[in-house]
Amino acid sequence: MKPAARSRLHLEIDLFRAGKSTGFIRVPHSVHRSAYGWLPIPVACINNGEGPRVLLMAGNHGDEWEGQVALGRLIRDLDPEQVRGRLIILPSANFPAAQAGTRTSPIDDGNLNRSFPGDPDGSVTQQIAYFLEHVLLPLCDYAFDFHSGGSSLMYVPGTLCRRDPDPAGMARLLGLMRAFGAPIGWIGSALQGQDRTLTAAARRQGVVCMGTELGGGGQVTPSVLALAEAGIRRVLAYVEAYTGPVPARADTRLLTLGGNDYYVYAPDGGVFEPLVELGDEVKRGQPAGRIHFHDTPWRAPTTASFARDGLVICKRVPGRTERGDCLFHLGTPYDG
Ligand code: CA
């Protein structure tokens, strides 16, 4: 199939063919090892008559595995007869990063979720971003982007949406979050990256978008993977794209994520000692963590404190830390 727009990427499968199609998005990549080669981004499409058009993607960051594993299983298990409309499933959107097991691409150091709207003539990651925003998103009504904490962060499993100033749009986003049924769901008003994320690209293209932060730590856990798989089927059923069996859901605690005072950053380089756990309720001024000077161990560690009250929803994983690394972030009760 020949993509519209100016993308240099080639889509092997026909997004309008009935039933389940699998193949690759080919990213031209001429290098010493392979003069006429291409990079293979796995993609699947399931079409079954009229219905919503949904993009399901993971591996936007290559080291966030839960969504990648869940979408692979969805491709294998989903019966096209249980689908209404069209699902485009992209388990490892930044495939070079996923192959390397890293957040960013080893080819151009590209962070796909800071690369939108992309560039059809840019680096590999910029070309992938351009293809997503200008070829795939215009074919979709909904986009679900399954992130997790990756190598450096661990999350209380949750869904997230960017605040929509339109009340009807906001109600629709809250409906999606409640349908997914993660323990928490948070609404960001000042999300990092702002206009360069898949969420921003979706909004530019008029596509309703929900993300997740499912666990992390560079690993897959059975409980978080089970939540991901159940949540995906529940949210697909909610938008009437899936008619098969749906596992029961739990209630979602809705939270707000605001600006800088929600985050705690390392004040120095050293070894991070957390002083609170994920899921703790904390107070303004409460010590969050210590940074130990293992190069000068007789020096007293520095302490980083929370700048406001809140619920700890994200925590740094690795011990070794540099000044400016995110140690924690908070959520506060959703204010409507
Ligand atoms: Ca991520």
Side-chain angles (χ1 to χ4, degrees), residues 145-200:
D145 190 17
F146 300 104
H147 288 249
S148 72
S151 303
S152 74
L153 301 173
M154 180 64 86
Y155 271 92
V156 176
T159 43
L160 66 142
C161 288
R162 184 164 158 180
R163 190 180 294 274
D164 188 336
D166 170 43
M170 197 63 236
R172 184 167 47 188
L173 294 176
L174 295 177
L176 292 171
M177 295 168 82
R178 290 194 174 101
F180 190 92
I184 62 170
W186 34 282
I187 294 90
S189 49
L191 296 179
Q192 230 201 6
Q194 303 256 10
D195 56 341
R196 294 183 292 161
T197 62
L198 186 277
T199 303

Side-chain angles (χ1 to χ4, degrees), residues 83-172:
V83 170
R84 285 186 65 249
R86 180 196 304 132
L87 306 183
I88 299 172
I89 308 171
L90 203 57
S92 300
N94 196 350
F95 178 74
Q99 193 178 30
T102 52
R103 175 175 180 82
T104 55
S105 174
I107 296 171
D108 54 11
D109 210 26
N111 178 342
L112 179 57
N113 218 30
R114 302 288 183 276
S115 298
F116 294 93
D119 180 350
D121 304 316
S123 72
V124 165
T125 307
Q126 290 166 341
Q127 289 184 50
I128 295 169
Y130 183 88
F131 182 85
L132 281 164
E133 177 157 350
H134 300 277
V135 178
L136 292 188
L137 283 176
L139 299 173
C140 296
D141 304 306
Y142 296 94
F144 302 128
D145 190 17
F146 300 104
H147 288 249
S148 72
S151 303
S152 74
L153 301 173
M154 180 64 86
Y155 271 92
V156 176
T159 43
L160 66 142
C161 288
R162 184 164 158 180
R163 190 180 294 274
D164 188 336
D166 170 43
M170 197 63 236
R172 184 167 47 188

Side-chain angles (χ1 to χ4, degrees), residues 19 21 54 73 113-114 145 158 161-162 195 199 204-205 216 222 225 233 245 248 262 271 274:
S21 308
V54 183
R73 189 170 294 165
N113 218 30
R114 302 288 183 276
D145 190 17
C161 288
R162 184 164 158 180
D195 56 341
T199 303
R204 283 192 288 271
Q205 299 297 330
L225 186 59
R233 289 188 186 243
Y262 282 69
V271 179

Side-chain angles (χ1 to χ4, degrees), residues 60-61 63-64 103 113 147-150 212-213:
N60 184 333
H61 292 131
D63 61 344
E64 301 176 2
R103 175 175 180 82
N113 218 30
H147 288 249
S148 72
T212 66
E213 293 293 358

